[in-house]
Amino acid sequence: MRSVVGGIVWLIRGTFCLVSLTVILAVLTAIPILQLIAFGYLLNVSGRLANGSKLKDSLPHLQQAGQIGLAAIALFLAALPTQALTHLESVANLINQGSEQATQMRTLSIATSILMTAYLLWAWNRGGHLANYFWPQPKRFLKEGWRWRTWRTVPDRLWEFTINLQAPKYFWLGLRGAVGTLIWISPSFVIIAAFRNGETGLAGLVGFAALLLLGVGMLYLPMLQAHFAAENRFRALFAVRTIRRDFRRAPWAWFAAMVMCLVITPIPLYLLKIEATPREVMWAPCLLFVAFILPARMATGLALRRARRMPEPIGLWKNLSRKLIRIVMPLVIGVYLLFVYVSQYTSWDGLLTWVQQHAILIPVPFLNGV
């Protein structure tokens, strides 16, 4: 019975931490510049798996994300009484400006705000876990809460918590990954220039040639990104020979990861790119984008991990598998590029959708909201 209860608790805690992580990444994705941190984190997930990490270890800072999510919920709930009292004060002032009831509501709202702030600070000082919010340990608070030594380590612990999130590391990884990816999809800029005034004449031929070149690059780019994150070297983004050798060892894993990365997860998200989202709620569609793209990043990492654990391919079946996947892969790329092509007419960003490809870049629906 204990094991069953423990399993349920573990599942609930893990789900909450995963949801919190997704929300945090979505919020970061909606903020310019900081979105590179989210992109770097997603790359790091695939890199960890490619390096041989277990699935449970592929999402760093999961527990910290749960603590941040719990703190955000606690802050929201703690603010509700103050907001309710403030609303009652405004109603009382509307009925009778400066009345005694309005003054009482204002005094109560200030007192409640101070009380809730102290409650939250005390919970966070003790670790910010769920038990710390439910049971404030009043005797301990009365005994230690007023002492300086109880609070003097808080800045250091907060700084350590922030440093352990490794935001600069993910920003640097995301920045290099974005630059390298833009180099790979540079034919997109040719496509934009060629299609800007229609698809006729020489411009149309150049545009479709660039489209074919982009398709060739897309055959390798998702795996190259995982390889780059695993090696943490910019040159690894262009190590096509290494990726081709990996493909030889596990063609079916490669195929499954590419279908996941370029078809299953990114294509449904193009429906959210039709109408622009107000900047104030940009994080909401980003939530879906991150939730869809994260499994795709994990799939590419798992495919590379499997390829690097497999021996050199020998035998007829291995040879047939490689040839079959090589025949089918252009169809996968073709389906993906078809949706990107159509999205230039349906997406709010228009032709810029060729550059803003959420499957391989920052998982954000629009370059700008409205």
Side-chain angles (χ1 to χ4, degrees):
M1 185 64 181
R2 287 185 178 180
S3 60
V4 174
V5 174
I8 294 174
V9 171
W10 176 85
L11 181 62
I12 294 174
R13 183 187 295 118
T15 302
F16 178 79
C17 290
L18 184 59
V19 171
S20 298
L21 176 64
T22 304
V23 173
I24 292 170
L25 291 175
V27 172
L28 289 174
T29 301
I31 303 174
I33 306 300
L34 295 185
Q35 56 195 197
L36 290 172
I37 298 176
F39 183 54
Y41 183 91
L42 293 173
L43 289 176
N44 182 69
V45 169
S46 60
R48 279 173 170 261
L49 289 170
N51 277 332
S53 294
K54 295 181 180 179
L55 201 60
K56 65 178 182 178
D57 300 323
S58 63
L59 297 173
H61 317 300
L62 192 60
Q63 297 301 322
Q64 291 96 319
Q67 285 185 280
I68 294 173
L70 200 59
I73 293 175
L75 186 61
F76 171 76
L77 294 176
L80 291 179
T82 303
Q83 291 177 348
L85 291 170
T86 302
H87 174 70
L88 291 176
E89 179 199 353
S90 64
V91 172
N93 277 320
L94 285 175
I95 297 173
N96 186 6
Q97 183 71 30
S99 64
E100 182 180 352
Q101 290 82 359
T103 303
Q104 290 176 351
M105 291 299 103
R106 183 178 183 183
T107 303
L108 281 174
S109 66
I110 294 174
T112 303
S113 176
I114 294 173
L115 178 63
M116 290 294 101
T117 301
Y119 189 93
L120 290 176
L121 290 176
W122 179 239
W124 293 337
N125 183 52
R126 289 178 294 134
H129 301 290
L130 187 61
N132 302 131
Y133 293 105
F134 277 112
W135 179 240
Q137 295 182 316
K139 290 184 178 180
R140 182 182 173 187
F141 178 76
L142 293 174
K143 184 179 179 180
E144 302 178 5
W146 56 275
R147 298 179 185 273
W148 166 244
R149 67 183 182 186
T150 304
W151 305 95
R152 65 183 178 184
T153 61
V154 171
D156 293 334
R157 284 185 287 148
L158 180 60
W159 176 252
E160 183 180 358
F161 181 87
T162 305
I163 291 298
N164 287 337
L165 294 177
Q166 298 180 307
K169 167 190 170 182
Y170 296 127
F171 177 84
W172 180 233
L173 184 66
L175 178 61
R176 289 178 294 151
V179 170
T181 301
L182 287 174
I183 293 174
W184 268 102
I185 66 171
S186 55
S188 298
F189 298 102
V190 178
I191 294 172
I192 292 173
F195 289 0
R196 186 174 297 277
N197 297 317
E199 305 166 19
T200 58
L202 182 60
L205 292 176
V206 172
F208 281 106
L211 182 62
L212 292 176
L213 188 60
L214 178 63
V216 173
M218 292 300 298
L219 284 170
Y220 305 104
L221 184 54
M223 295 300 176
L224 283 170
Q225 288 179 325
H227 177 60
F228 155 71
E231 297 290 324
N232 197 20
R233 293 184 298 106
F234 186 71
R235 288 186 178 181
L237 260 172
F238 306 94
V240 176
R241 289 185 179 180
T242 302
I243 294 301
R244 287 177 64 88
R245 286 196 298 268
D246 291 330
F247 166 76
R248 286 171 51 83
R249 298 189 190 97
W252 288 105
W254 177 295
F255 174 72
M258 293 293 281
V259 170
M260 185 75 172
C261 185
L262 297 180
V263 178
I264 295 177
T265 56
I267 286 179
L269 296 175
Y270 278 102
L271 294 174
L272 297 177
K273 295 168 68 75
I274 296 175
E275 186 70 25
T277 305
R279 294 180 182 179
E280 294 79 8
V281 292
M282 179 65 79
W283 63 271
C286 288
L287 190 62
L288 282 176
F289 273 68
V290 171
F292 272 70
I293 299 302
L294 180 58
R297 293 295 179 183
M298 297 177 74
T300 56
L302 288 170
L304 278 188
R305 186 181 73 177
R306 177 170 177 78
R308 290 168 183 180
R309 289 179 176 179
M310 297 292 288
E312 286 296 325
I314 300 174
L316 179 61
W317 169 246
K318 298 287 186 180
N319 189 34
L320 288 176
S321 295
R322 290 197 305 273
K323 290 183 178 180
L324 178 61
I325 298 303
R326 282 171 178 162
I327 293 173
V328 176
M329 274 306 303
L331 298 178
V332 175
I333 302 300
V335 170
Y336 172 73
L337 290 180
L338 175 63
F339 275 87
V340 179
Y341 177 81
V342 172
S343 72
Q344 69 180 330
Y345 302 107
T346 61
S347 173
W348 182 267
D349 285 330
L351 284 170
L352 290 177
T353 192
W354 286 103
V355 177
Q356 203 280 307
Q357 298 185 39
H358 51 268
I360 53 175
L361 275 169
I362 300 167
V364 63
F366 311 102
L367 294 178
N368 291 295
V370 294

